[in-house]
Amino acid sequence: MSVPLSYSKGPAAPLLEITIAEALTDAATRYADREALVVCHQQIRLTWADLDREATRVARGLAGLGLAPGDRVGVWATNCVEWVLLQYGTARAGLVLVNVNPAYRSHELSFVLRQSRIRALFLHAADRRTDYRKILRDCTPPGHVVWLGDPSWERMLAGGSAIPAFPSGPHDVVNIQYTSGTTGSPKGVLLTNRNLLNNGLMIAQRLGADERDRICVPVPMYHCFGCVIGSMTSLTTGAAMILPGATFSALATIEAVHREKPTVLYGVPTMFIAELDHPAFDQFSFDSLRSGIMAGAPCPRDVMNRVREKMHCAGVTIAYGQTESSPVVTMSGTADPVDLRVATIGSAMGNTEVKIVNGAGETVPQGEAGEICARGYLVMKGYDEDPEATAKTIDPEGWLHTGDLGVMRDDGYITFTGRAKDMIIRGGENIYPREVEDFLRTHPGVADVYVIGIPDHRLGEIVVAWVKPRVGVELTEGGIRDFCRDQIAYFKIPQHVRFVDSFPLTVTGKVRKVEMRRIEMEGPDELRASIIESSASRAGC
Ligand code: AMP
């Protein structure tokens, strides 16, 4: 008997055919006085009625700046109440929100401002780590710059005008999220109301969430984990969203769990590890938790077990997806046997088709590895201004090719086996080596460079660069890192730099990264020890 093919389809469920702005109006009607948003570090609490009213004020403020429906509004900020208000305010004013990673530095920010034609940018002047105002000075700023936590925000609200009437529908693009590109620059993923709202709804259904839930979101809002798995799941259920801090802090998160009594906790595995290992862990109560979502990187078995046992999180689940798929494609259920939750990334979400294909694009038999593909409402509209890259990712039948590898079991559950793409995941942040290589090649003393990821017990993987200096140039590891510091995001800066005269090559002259990785992993003990030590001392999650 032949083995069935690796194809499965999640349960059919009605999809929402409304806009995010309409969904907010609905939530405000249904859950008016229930808490919608708690921002711990700003000591702010909003009910759904408050959130709806404030979003309208922001929409009017944006209209008052002269922004017209379809214009793009960038938010380059860490988590804050204004981030969420801008998410809903832009949707209500018919604008497109562009998420800009707060870790971006001048090189990346200039690119995104230009590429996405941002007309207004919202940012903090500075925070503990970063002088954003200084970085912006090295770029060409857009027409409107509004400073968060500053009178210019209040001025924008005070200058509000009527929101222009505009035709809007579920299929309109409402958000652009950037992903690191395989081609050297980040790519803007175009996402519609229908993509985002329904992904939130499908996640909520698998979590079994409703308005009595409270979701603790220590992940960044600029990323789909915050602004979809967080915001959209909250919006489609009426569950409150709790933001513990501006950036991730293990202590702020476990304090927020203790004080705000969430029922659901999110995080990438690295965050859960930091929370479990925090010296003050035993002083806090986790009794309110029933579930959680771990996503973004493979979850080690012992971490899953500790979360279940020590964090009172019996129903913790694993979600898998990517920005291009809005993001969640597969997820385990809260009541699935634990083994299934540890060994797999779950099964296809509602209204989602999943298949596994070989290099020729044929669906492979169950039990065989191949590339994970997804189809349905969740597939992005495309990459912004990049039809070529879009056509390479979404085939004519509407299948999104994820670049991730997996094996489908006979029950439709999928084991994640790796990435077809050459990507590094460091503490949940994705890094395309090509992007870092292209940047380092702009250093005047660098003749050539190749970047790889090597395993790290805390961050999952760390970045290692092999640099060939130009003849007669003396380079230092510190010098290379200083060159990166104000120009690229901290998580892309190599933890270790090795200077070489040549690279291991294939017969056709291609660099053998597998061999570079082997040398790093199996090289002399002193070398490996120094890499691990440097990663531990420099890592800042
Ligand atoms: P992003 O577009 O930033 O959401 O990153 C998506 C990528 O993260 C995917 O293509 C996967 O390579 C990886 N990823 C996401 N979820 C998981 C998971 N549960 N297990 C392993 N890798 C994951």
Side-chain angles (χ1 to χ4, degrees):
M1 217 176 68
S2 67
V3 181
L5 294 179
S6 307
Y7 169 87
S8 74
K9 193 173 179 176
L15 287 170
L16 290 168
E17 300 292 352
I18 55 174
T19 62
I20 289 175
E22 288 163 343
L24 180 60
T25 309
D26 273 7
T29 313
R30 272 196 235 179
Y31 313 115
D33 296 329
R34 293 193 76 94
E35 220 156 52
L37 180 66
V38 179
V39 186
C40 300
H41 61 289
Q42 292 176 294
Q43 290 164 358
I44 284 176
R45 283 175 193 279
L46 300 178
T47 63
W48 283 103
D50 295 335
L51 186 55
D52 183 58
R53 189 190 57 244
E54 292 302 312
T56 300
R57 276 181 80 210
V58 171
R60 290 173 54 84
L62 291 164
L65 292 179
L67 300 173
D71 280 349
R72 290 160 177 201
V73 173
V75 186
W76 181 40
T78 51
N79 292 1
C80 55
V81 66
E82 293 89 345
W83 209 109
V84 182
L85 295 181
L86 282 161
Q87 180 175 24
Y88 290 123
T90 48
R92 186 150 278 170
L95 301 163
V96 179
L97 178 76
V98 182
N99 305 3
V100 187
N101 186 338
Y104 275 8
R105 295 295 171 259
S106 58
H107 182 74
E108 298 134 329
L109 180 68
S110 294
F111 174 83
V112 167
L113 289 174
R114 204 174 47 244
Q115 205 270 342
S116 62
R117 306 182 303 284
I118 286 174
R119 288 208 54 212
L121 182 68
F122 288 77
L123 71 160
H124 294 109
D127 61 21
R128 207 162 38 84
R129 272 193 191 160
T130 311
D131 187 343
Y132 299 99
R133 190 189 292 267
K134 180 164 166 278
I135 298 169
L136 185 62
R137 255 187 245 129
D138 293 335
C139 308
T140 310
H144 303 281
V145 174
V146 179
W147 303 96
L148 302 173
D150 172 284
S152 80
W153 171 259
E154 289 303 326
R155 265 200 306 279
M156 176 200 74
L157 295 179
S161 65
I163 302 165
F166 59 94
S168 79
H171 292 273
D172 290 331
V173 172
V174 70
N175 189 200
I176 299 179
Q177 297 173 20
Y178 274 86
T179 63
S180 290
T182 38
T183 51
S185 332
K187 289 204 281 288
V189 175
L190 300 171
L191 295 157
T192 66
N193 287 283
R194 191 169 186 268
N195 285 150
L196 301 177
L197 269 178
N198 286 300
N199 207 253
L201 183 66
M202 296 303 120
I203 296 162
Q205 289 176 357
R206 190 134 308 177
L207 266 182
D210 64 27
E211 73 273 16
R212 290 165 300 182
D213 278 297
R214 293 168 67 76
I215 308 174
C216 183
V217 180
V219 293
M221 291 305 293
Y222 84 85
H223 188 264
C224 48
F225 206 164
C227 68
V228 188
I229 307 181
S231 282
M232 295 295 110
T233 302
S234 154
L235 177 64
T236 51
T237 54
M241 179 162 76
I242 298 158
L243 303 180
T247 55
F248 175 70
S249 145
L251 181 61
T253 305
I254 54 181
E255 271 172 357
V257 171
H258 180 87
R259 222 181 25 247
E260 292 296 332
K261 310 215 174 320
T263 53
V264 179
L265 175 62
Y266 287 176
V268 296
T270 310
M271 293 178 177
F272 282 98
I273 295 170
E275 291 154 20
L276 285 158
D277 289 347
H278 196 280
F281 183 87
D282 290 335
Q283 295 167 22
F284 298 104
S285 163
F286 296 85
D287 289 356
S288 61
L289 291 174
R290 68 168 182 85
S291 180
I293 298 184
M294 237 190 268
C299 173
R301 178 180 284 265
D302 77 299
V303 177
M304 165 71 93
N305 286 336
R306 288 167 73 204
V307 170
R308 288 179 48 248
E309 285 155 19
K310 296 188 71 184
M311 294 179 112
H312 202 265
C313 219
V316 64
T317 60
I318 296 290
Y320 157 79
Q322 59 181 202
T323 306
E324 289 88 336
S325 54
S326 297
V328 180
V329 175
T330 63
M331 189 170 156
S332 42
T334 55
D336 280 349
V338 174
D339 262 359
L340 216 54
R341 279 188 267 159
V342 195
T344 77
I345 50 172
S347 59
M349 297 292 278
N351 296 298
T352 304
E353 288 178 279
V354 178
K355 68 175 180 179
I356 312 276
V357 301
N358 62 19
E362 298 152 353
T363 307
V364 298
Q366 286 172 353
E368 268 184 38
E371 185 181 16
I372 304 171
C373 298
R375 186 164 72 172
Y377 78 87
L378 73 173
V379 175
M380 65 168 173
K381 200 154 191 169
Y383 292 115
D384 191 28
E385 303 268 303
D386 199 343
E388 212 177 296
T390 304
K392 273 195 199 144
T393 309
I394 306 173
D395 70 23
E397 289 170 349
W399 286 99
L400 175 82
H401 292 249
T402 62
D404 291 317
L405 303 174
V407 179
M408 191 180 285
R409 306 163 17 137
D410 56 6
D411 55 6
Y413 279 69
I414 294 174
T415 306
F416 182 90
T417 55
R419 298 181 302 270
K421 295 183 290 197
D422 189 20
M423 187 173 72
I424 301 167
I425 305 183
R426 176 199 179 278
E429 302 273 11
N430 296 349
I431 302 156
Y432 280 94
R434 174 73 191 276
E435 193 185 332
V436 182
E437 289 162 4
D438 282 357
F439 171 73
L440 287 174
R441 288 197 186 103
T442 66
H443 186 298
V446 170
D448 206 358
V449 52
Y450 287 93
V451 165
I452 54 169
I454 61 166
D456 175 78
H457 67 283
R458 202 169 77 80
L459 291 165
E461 281 180 298
I462 55 166
V463 179
V464 175
W466 282 26
V467 172
K468 181 180 169 184
R470 282 193 195 286
V471 181
V473 177
E474 278 281 317
L475 294 176
T476 63
E477 186 164 2
I480 294 285
R481 266 196 296 273
D482 285 346
F483 176 72
C484 297
R485 201 143 285 138
D486 287 334
Q487 300 203 72
I488 61 170
Y490 72 91
F491 56 85
K492 297 178 194 166
I493 301 176
Q495 248 100 357
H496 180 76
V497 181
R498 178 196 279 270
F499 295 102
V500 295
D501 296 328
S502 61
F503 301 93
L505 299 177
T506 63
V507 276
T508 53
K510 280 178 85 177
V511 168
R512 294 191 59 222
K513 288 200 169 172
V514 176
E515 180 62 9
M516 287 169 59
R517 221 168 279 125
R518 192 193 63 74
I519 294 170
E520 291 293 350
M521 299 305 301
E522 296 172 14
D525 281 351
E526 320 82 74
L527 171 68
R528 287 182 53 206
S530 81
I531 292 170
I532 290 161
E533 194 184 295
S534 62
S535 86
S537 64
R538 287 188 206 105
C541 205

